Amino acid sequence: MSSARLALLVVLPWAAVALEPAAAAPEPLDGTCPAGDRSCAGASATPAGKYYWANQKGDLNRTGLSAHAVPFDLRRQAPAWRWTDPEPGVIRATPLIDDRLNLYVSTINGRVIKLSPEGSVLWTYRSKYGVQPSVPALMDGLLFGNTRKGWIYALDMETGEEVWAVQASNGTGSDTASMFAASGVVVAATMMPVEGRETNNALVALSSHDGAHKWTHLMTGFNIYNFQGASPGDGTMVFMDSSGGVYRLNLETGAMLWESGVADRQASFFTTAAAVVGPNDVVYCVSNYGKHHDGDNGMVHAYNLSDGKPLWRTNVTLDAMQAVAIGRLAGSEGLSVVFGIGTNPGHPMLFRMIYRGFYAFPGIFWLLALTSGC
C-alpha cells in the first residue's frame, strides 16, 4: 500500500499565499458538482466533478488528510503569487478549493473572496447579515456560510450571487465553528433561547436547495462550541459537544442514532476540539476531563462508528483543544492520529498584558500510532 502524507495548510491573517501548481492538476478528493454547475444537484445525480478541499479539514470525515505531496521545506520554494487583503479583515477560516483550483477565502468582517489559481480576485461577496465566524463549506455548486446574527446563506460559486438566506436563530457563537454540507443537507450550530446559556446549544439543518428548515437538534445540559460535523458519507453525521459527549444523527430526519462519549462528563468541562470519523469506521475525539486552563486534563478517546461503543482512551500531558488529523504518515503503513496539545493562546500578547495579565502557554504535537482494528 502506498503511503500518503499529512499536509498542513497554514493561513496568515490578511494574506494568502499559493505555491506554483504542478504540471498536471491532482485528482480532487471530495465534493460533488463543478463550480457554478448546480444541474447535478440532488440525491439521484451522478457527480460531475469533485472539490479538492470542500470544507474545514478537507473531506467529510474531517480527517485533515491530503493525498497530494507538498515540498518538505516551504522556505525553499518561492510563492507563485501573493494576495493581500486591502481591508482590515481577519482571516481565520480554512481556504476552500473547488474542482478548478479556485480558492474561497472567508473573512470575519463578512466577506467571501474567490481567487483564481493565479491569484486574481474573481468576485467578492459582502454579507448583509453581520460578521461570519464559521468556516464555509462547498457542495453542489454552492458555498454555504453563516453569521453571528443567526443567518445561514448559500452563494453561487460561479458568480458569488446570493441564492438564498435564512435566519435560523437570533445569534450564533463567535468562535471558529464549521459549516457541514452533505447529501443535500446543510447543518450549522447556533444559539436557541435557553435561560443561562449564551453559546451554541443547538444544530439547525436546512435544505441545500432552498434553505427550507428540515430539523433542529436542541442540546440538553451540554453545549456545542466549535461545531465540526463529520460523516462517513452514509447519510449520518457525528459531532461532539464541548464536554466530550459524542452523538450520531440521521441527516435527513435529525433522529439520534446513538449518544456516547465521556459518561461522567460535566457541563463545566470544556474543549474547542471535535470528533473525526476515521477511514476504519472509528470515531476519534479529543476533549478535557476538567475545565479549560486546568493544565493536564487532555485526552483522546475512540468509539465504534456503528454503535458508539467505547474502544479506548488515552490521557495526554496538557490541555487538549484541537481535533485530530488521521491518516498514514510517510514511511508508515499503519494509521496514526496527530493533534496539538496545550492551552489555547487566547488574545494577542499586548491584549493579554493589558486586560488579562501576562501568561504564556506551552504546546506540543502528540502522535499516536494505531494498531490494527483501531
Side-chain angles (χ1 to χ4, degrees), residues 116-177:
S116 74
E118 296 75 34
S120 299
V121 175
L122 300 179
W123 53 253
T124 298
Y125 167 78
R126 295 181 182 274
S127 170
K128 303 183 290 288
Y129 316 109
V131 300
Q132 47 191 22
S134 300
V135 182
L138 307 179
M139 181 177 68
D140 295 344
L142 298 175
L143 178 146
F144 303 95
N146 71 342
T147 75
R148 282 280 285 129
K149 294 182 178 180
W151 287 83
I152 301 173
Y153 63 84
L155 305 181
D156 186 297
M157 290 168 55
E158 184 68 19
T159 65
E161 295 179 358
E162 188 177 288
V163 176
W164 55 259
V166 174
Q167 188 170 25
S169 71
N170 291 327
T172 297
S174 61
D175 210 343
T176 314

Side-chain angles (χ1 to χ4, degrees), residues 193-359:
V194 175
E195 186 176 355
R197 297 171 73 179
E198 297 182 356
T199 188
N200 290 335
N201 62 347
L203 297 179
V204 175
L206 307 178
S207 165
S208 63
H209 177 68
D210 56 7
H213 180 267
K214 297 185 74 70
W215 49 264
T216 297
H217 177 81
L218 184 63
M219 301 295 291
T220 303
F222 298 97
N223 296 316
I224 309 167
Y225 197 70
N226 281 348
F227 169 67
Q228 179 186 290
S231 175
D234 62 351
T236 69
M237 180 186 70
V238 175
F239 71 97
M240 191 182 80
D241 64 40
S242 57
S243 300
V246 193
Y247 312 80
R248 189 181 189 190
L249 305 182
N250 180 294
L251 262 181
E252 182 63 28
T253 66
M256 186 182 296
L257 304 178
W258 51 255
E259 177 181 351
S260 189
V262 181
D264 59 342
R265 68 189 185 281
Q266 301 175 22
S268 60
F269 293 3
F270 180 77
T271 184
T272 55
V276 173
V277 178
N280 51 356
D281 291 336
V282 174
V283 179
Y284 298 94
C285 302
V286 174
S287 65
N288 292 304
Y289 193 81
K291 298 179 180 179
H292 186 31
H293 294 322
D294 281 355
D296 58 356
N297 294 316
M299 56 184 175
V300 55
H301 34 119
Y303 305 86
N304 272 332
L305 174 65
S306 60
D307 57 9
K309 179 182 177 181
L311 296 177
W312 52 263
R313 173 168 147 182
T314 298
N315 295 329
V316 296
T317 55
L318 295 169
D319 285 346
M321 311 297 288
Q322 181 186 91
V324 304
I326 178 169
R328 289 179 172 84
L329 297 171
S332 173
E333 290 298 320
L335 287 176
S336 298
V337 295
V338 182
F339 58 104
I341 59 175
T343 301
N344 281 346
H347 293 92
M349 183 182 298
L350 181 60
F351 181 97
R352 296 203 309 266
M353 291 176 66
I354 297 174
Y355 294 100
R356 300 175 60 182
F358 175 75
Y359 50 91

Side-chain angles (χ1 to χ4, degrees), residues 59-116:
D59 55 25
L60 281 178
N61 297 57
R62 308 284 189 175
T63 61
L65 176 67
S66 173
H68 312 308
V70 297
F72 183 76
D73 189 347
L74 293 176
R75 295 172 299 179
R76 297 182 179 179
Q77 182 169 342
W81 53 264
R82 180 184 299 271
W83 173 80
T84 301
D85 192 343
E87 300 183 18
V90 175
I91 300 172
R92 65 184 187 193
T94 301
L96 307 180
I97 309 173
D98 67 19
D99 54 301
R100 302 172 187 173
L101 296 178
N102 298 306
L103 277 73
Y104 301 80
V105 179
S106 172
T107 69
I108 297 299
N109 66 356
R111 291 171 297 142
V112 179
I113 301 103
K114 180 179 180 178
L115 301 170
S116 74

